Amino acid sequence: YRHPMEPLTNIFLSEISPVSVRGSMGCLYGVMLSTGTLLSFLLSMPQIMGSSSLGWRLFFTLPTLTALYQCVVVFFSPETPIYLASRKGNVDQARKSLSDYRVSVSEEELCTLEQCLEKGGEIQPLSFPELLSQRCLRLALFIGVGLNVGQQLSGINGVLSYAPLIFSQAGVSVPATATLLCGVVRILGALCGAALVDRLGRRTLMWGGFLVLCVTCFLTAGSQICADTITDSSTDSITDSNGSCQGRWTGIVAIVSILTYCFVVSATASTLPWVIVAEIFPMEARSKGLSVANATHWTFHTLAVLFFDSVDKALQPYTFLLFGGFMFFSFVAVVLFVPETKQKSVEQIAGELKEQADKCLPTVF
């Protein structure tokens, strides 16, 4: 159920939010997602739910309450004004919807709504062949797919699933506590991303995030490589007489690197792809574009979780060198192809994508 709802949630948030805080509203989805993940981890602990058969039944019953709450809230939520104007051509309902979502309506929003009203009833969803027929839409599709691939190849879902194992491999004595700390740090990172996205811009945060993730992956790999050579865990020296690194410092580096990694992922790679993808597609291509991005997201999510353990066993202790390489390529791709969408209208973003696509060779886009 969550899979189709994820892109719909981001479309809905982008269409009801004022342009000035559109990014922050989209990132709040990541804040709630990180909070839910931490609560799930806490509730799954035997110390809270117990080890009896009643515990796991309660664990799976509690989400029903939030689902019922969502059903009630969505039932009373007005349709988005952009949808009513561009797809339904309903002037009165579009303006009423806009006033329902605003304390005061700005002139810029009224102008945007009027532009949609001029095309009212004319905008129809594009088919997949039509989506691929325009160069600017192919570029937008490449960006949407690429960001989601980069997000999953960061290894975040593998890290969350196998965090205790990763910390143990780096010599951390209490991996469960470190895993719990990761959940707290992810919430703080998501809040930080929501606060910065409309100030620094999506593109800046995205490439900066991938660059920091690259560094933290290499540091994590270094701590695991050094921990793998430890012969005397009681020493605090970095190298022994033979030059091999050893000591408790590897556990400290692992904790700091993974916590930094979780913070940066939550602030950038976990939420920003959805914010950007919801902004780069025009109304007629948005549903198809986000569905392709969503399918890519969950395909690579499944592959990452399924094969992380196998890849980790095959490459250990060099696993995170692979993830660091993926993050470097993602950083380069963002710098080369992703436009800045901060406080820009759909028309402005579409124009920039068209100009960028025209600069590329016809065989590229």
Side-chain angles (χ1 to χ4, degrees), residues 2 9 21 93 106 116-117 136 158 172 181 224 242 244 246 255 264 349 354 363:
R2 176 192 161 192
T9 301
V21 294
Q93 285 191 12
S106 66
C116 293
L117 291 172
C136 60
V172 179
L181 192 56
Q224 291 185 337
N242 296 322
S244 61
Q246 56 178 251
I255 292 177
V264 176
I349 297 170
K354 187 177 184 304
T363 54

Side-chain angles (χ1 to χ4, degrees), residues 231-242:
T231 55
D232 182 7
S233 61
S234 64
T235 181
D236 288 325
S237 63
I238 294 180
T239 59
D240 60 12
S241 59
N242 296 322

Side-chain angles (χ1 to χ4, degrees), residues 30-338:
V31 175
M32 295 297 103
L33 190 61
S34 298
T35 303
T37 302
L38 177 61
L39 289 176
S40 297
F41 178 78
L42 289 173
L43 292 175
S44 66
M45 298 176 68
Q47 295 89 333
I48 295 179
M49 282 297 186
S51 56
S52 65
S53 59
L54 180 63
W56 68 263
R57 287 183 172 88
L58 288 174
F59 178 74
F60 283 101
T61 301
L62 287 175
T64 306
L65 300 177
T66 58
L68 290 174
Y69 168 77
Q70 286 178 322
C71 289
V72 173
V73 171
V74 171
F75 182 78
F76 289 101
S77 299
E79 186 56 85
T80 65
I82 293 178
Y83 174 83
L84 292 170
S86 61
R87 296 285 292 278
K88 297 297 184 180
N90 194 318
V91 179
D92 295 332
Q93 285 191 12
R95 288 174 177 164
K96 183 179 183 304
S97 174
L98 185 61
S99 62
D100 288 338
Y101 285 114
R102 302 286 187 274
V103 176
S104 60
V105 181
S106 66
E107 290 295 328
E108 183 180 356
E109 288 180 309
L110 287 174
C111 291
T112 301
L113 192 60
E114 290 296 333
Q115 291 174 358
C116 293
L117 291 172
E118 291 175 1
K119 303 177 182 179
E122 297 180 4
I123 297 180
Q124 298 297 325
L126 297 179
S127 64
F128 281 110
E130 290 172 332
L131 181 65
L132 297 173
S133 64
Q134 301 180 38
R135 297 186 67 186
C136 60
L137 293 181
R138 290 200 297 270
L139 175 58
L141 198 61
F142 171 81
I143 293 171
V145 169
L147 287 176
N148 280 279
V149 171
Q151 178 195 76
Q152 295 305 313
L153 292 183
S154 69
I156 181 58
N157 290 295
V159 169
L160 294 178
S161 300
Y162 297 94
L165 174 64
I166 294 170
F167 284 120
S168 296
Q169 291 170 345
V172 179
S173 58
V174 191
T177 303
T179 303
L180 182 62
L181 192 56
C182 278
V184 176
V185 167
R186 288 191 71 216
I187 297 175
L188 296 176
L191 287 170
C192 181
L196 294 177
V197 65
D198 285 313
R199 298 181 181 181
L200 301 180
R202 290 80 156 132
R203 183 175 182 271
T204 302
L205 272 184
M206 199 74 253
W207 69 253
F210 279 135
L211 189 59
V212 175
L213 288 176
C214 177
V215 174
T216 56
C217 283
F218 288 147
L219 287 175
T220 302
S223 68
Q224 291 185 337
I225 292 169
C226 288
D228 195 53
T229 64
I230 291 178
T231 55
D232 182 7
S233 61
S234 64
T235 181
D236 288 325
S237 63
I238 294 180
T239 59
D240 60 12
S241 59
N242 296 322
S244 61
C245 48
Q246 56 178 251
R248 297 191 187 96
W249 70 274
T250 58
I252 297 174
V253 172
I255 292 177
V256 173
S257 298
I258 291 294
L259 291 181
T260 304
Y261 170 91
C262 290
F263 182 91
V264 176
V265 164
S266 292
T268 58
S270 286
T271 53
L272 286 182
W274 293 117
V275 174
I276 296 172
V277 172
E279 293 176 330
I280 60 177
F281 286 102
M283 188 68 185
E284 62 271 18
R286 192 167 295 167
S287 59
K288 294 292 192 304
L290 263 77
S291 66
V292 173
N294 188 48
T296 303
H297 171 90
W298 287 109
T299 298
F300 278 83
H301 172 97
T302 303
L303 293 174
V305 174
L306 284 177
F307 293 105
F308 180 88
D309 189 41
S310 300
V311 171
D312 187 49
K313 289 178 180 177
L315 298 180
Q316 185 60 225
Y318 306 102
T319 307
F320 277 86
L321 291 179
L322 177 65
F323 292 136
F326 286 144
M327 291 302 91
F328 179 75
F329 283 113
S330 298
F331 158 73
V332 173
V334 170
V335 171
L336 292 179
F337 297 108
V338 177

